[in-house]
Every structure is written in C-alpha cells, then in structure tokens.
Amino acid sequence: MIPKRTLLLSILCAASLSACAQAPDAGDEGRDPAAAPAVEAIETTPGTPEDRARKAIESINPQIRIDSIAAAPLAGFREVIVNGQALYVSDDGKYLLQGSLFDVEAKKDVSQAGVAAVRRKLLAAVPDSERIVFAPANPKYTVTVFTDVECGYCRKLHQDIAEYNKRGIAIEYLAFPRMGLDTPDYREMVSVWCAPDRRKALTDAKDGKRVPTRSCENPVARHYELGQRVGLTGTPMIITEGGVQMPGYLPPDALLSALQQVDASSGAGAGG
C-alpha cells in the first residue's frame, strides 16, 4: 500500500507529476515521449457559476487539471472533479467545501456519482492493447486494476487470478509503479509491458522471478499519471466498469459480492 495523500496536497499536485514524483528525463530508456499529455482546459462561459468555480480552483494552482464542473447536489454550489475527488465551490466562487456529501434521506454518498462518471470516461480512453487481461470466456463483470509488481496485496490478488476468473470476473491490469517514475519499480514494469508475453512476464514479476530488461514505446508512465488522475491512494486500486472504486484489495468471493451489491444499488447491469 502507499500512504493516502491529503486532499489539499492532491489539489496542489494534480497539474503535474513532476511536482509530486520524480519523473524520468526525456531520454530515459523505455520512456514513452507521449506519456505526459498537456493539461486539458475546461471551457466555461464568463460570468457563470461554472466559470467562477473554475477560477476559484485555479487560484489554488493556475495549472491544475479540472476534469468536470457541473451542478452539485447541494443548492448554490458547483461540483468540481479534481484528481478523482469531488470539491464543492459556491456559485459566487467564494467558498470551497471538501469531503463526502451525504444525502441523509436517501442514505447514500452523493459525491461519488460525478467522480465515477469521470473515471468511466478516463478509463474508456485506454485502448485494449495497453491492458494486461486475465479473463474467463464469458465474464459477468470486468474490473480495471491499477497494479504494482512489488506490493504485497497486488501479489496476493494475482495469486488468486484463476479464482476471480472462475467467479466470472475479468481482471484488466493497468500499471502503477508505486515507487514513482525513474525507479527500479518503474523500469521493471516497463520490461513487463514490453515483453512478448505480457501475461507471463507480469506473473513472473509478481512471483519474484527475474524479468528480462526490455524497452519499447510503452504506456507505463501514462497509466501512472492516469492512476493519480482517477484518485488512486493505494495499490491495488479496483474500479468497476461503472467507475465505482472498490475499498482496496478484496478476495475473490468478497469482490464478487461487492460487484453484485453495486449492481443491486445502481440497477445498471453487470459491472456498472
């Protein structure tokens, strides 16, 4: 596991990996030169609550990445999704609230719907060719798992990969070298993603076996940036097709039960 960052630190670091983690130099072996895309600007109409919310957030960090601005479940506020977390800015741009927004009558956390929608959009942009997939023939559920080759719970999850598959759960791995970029952990994950048989290389790495050093154009740094953007605080991070984050590592039966509960509460079908 990796330590959970405070929300304020997440906000201040959201715009650039270089502010919070040591990024590899442009010439580093195995580094994808397109790994750090430019910050996408959110367009807002001047004078609107959305525009005032954007300006309020950007006053904290002018280069911050905002993924979504929309009406909040709380009257008089806009919901702003930053770094996989929901913030609430008053329509006049003066006040900012952080933390969960709980609907007492409905008895649910209403701050997660917007976050889940952003996660769905971001993960949908990751091509199948970048994922390392372990899946049954006809999966009932598919989850995205940000994984590291060294963390204990990541290894524990992978040891039971056949059991997840037996329960109809497909595991689609993305890379998250928890020690950061330009580290031995990062370079080993590059070697895994550059291997001719990624599934075997990932299994070997998680079993502590040596993986031959390789370099190629690879998505590891992009996945690392994406993990931060969707709010990763520890590995493995398990996300449903609907963008719902599971509460850390779950054994096969527990994950199946959690996915079924998500179905029951959302009514959106398997994996949603």
Side-chain angles (χ1 to χ4, degrees), residues 1-269:
M1 303 291 288
I2 60 178
K4 184 173 182 178
R5 298 177 300 174
T6 65
L7 180 55
L8 179 57
L9 181 59
S10 296
I11 294 172
L12 294 174
C13 295
S16 172
L17 287 179
S18 62
C20 301
Q22 184 180 4
D25 294 333
D28 278 355
E29 183 179 22
R31 174 79 150 76
D32 180 354
V39 174
E40 302 163 9
I42 289 286
E43 294 185 2
T44 54
T45 302
T48 62
E50 288 76 14
D51 190 57
R52 288 188 285 270
R54 177 183 62 79
K55 289 178 178 178
I57 296 295
E58 289 176 349
S59 71
I60 299 172
N61 181 339
Q63 297 183 6
I64 204 162
R65 185 201 303 271
I66 296 174
D67 286 307
S68 173
I69 303 177
L74 183 64
F77 283 78
R78 301 294 105 178
E79 181 180 76
V80 184
I81 308 301
V82 174
N83 234 33
Q85 301 189 58
L87 306 176
Y88 299 96
V89 181
S90 59
D91 287 348
D92 60 6
K94 185 177 180 180
Y95 298 102
L96 184 150
L97 301 176
Q98 63 184 64
S100 297
L101 185 61
F102 194 81
D103 185 323
V104 176
E105 183 176 342
K107 294 182 173 56
K108 67 177 182 179
D109 182 350
V110 294
S111 64
Q112 291 307 303
V115 174
V118 168
R119 288 198 189 109
R120 284 198 305 272
K121 178 182 177 181
L122 293 175
L123 293 176
V126 179
D128 292 343
S129 61
E130 291 188 0
R131 302 167 183 260
I132 299 180
V133 179
F134 292 80
N138 297 294
K140 298 177 182 177
Y141 299 97
T142 298
V143 295
T144 296
V145 178
F146 284 88
T147 193
D148 177 74
V149 294
E150 293 186 350
C151 86
Y153 281 106
C154 296
R155 291 185 171 189
K156 188 174 179 62
L157 186 153
H158 195 68
Q159 287 172 356
D160 285 335
I161 200 73
E163 294 301 318
Y164 291 102
N165 288 172
K166 285 180 182 178
R167 288 156 179 77
I169 303 170
I171 305 291
E172 298 191 351
Y173 284 122
L174 300 183
F176 193 87
R178 62 183 180 147
M179 302 307 293
L181 305 182
D182 196 23
T183 63
D185 188 24
Y186 165 78
R187 288 187 283 273
E188 185 171 14
M189 298 199 77
V190 167
S191 295
V192 167
W193 255 260
C194 290
D197 186 341
R198 290 176 174 176
R199 286 162 47 102
K200 182 179 185 304
L202 184 63
T203 299
D204 286 347
K206 287 177 179 287
D207 285 343
K209 298 178 182 178
R210 180 182 176 277
V211 175
T213 301
R214 293 183 175 89
S215 64
C216 65
E217 183 176 338
N218 69 85
V220 174
R222 281 199 304 277
H223 291 181
Y224 180 78
E225 189 267 350
L226 178 61
Q228 293 188 326
R229 194 171 172 186
V230 300
L232 187 150
T233 58
T235 52
M237 182 187 194
I238 304 173
I239 305 175
T240 72
E241 288 180 288
V244 177
Q245 180 181 351
M246 294 288 100
Y249 162 79
L250 291 173
D253 285 334
L255 180 56
L256 177 60
S257 177
L259 291 170
Q260 291 169 338
Q261 289 178 26
V262 169
D263 270 0
S265 63
S266 68

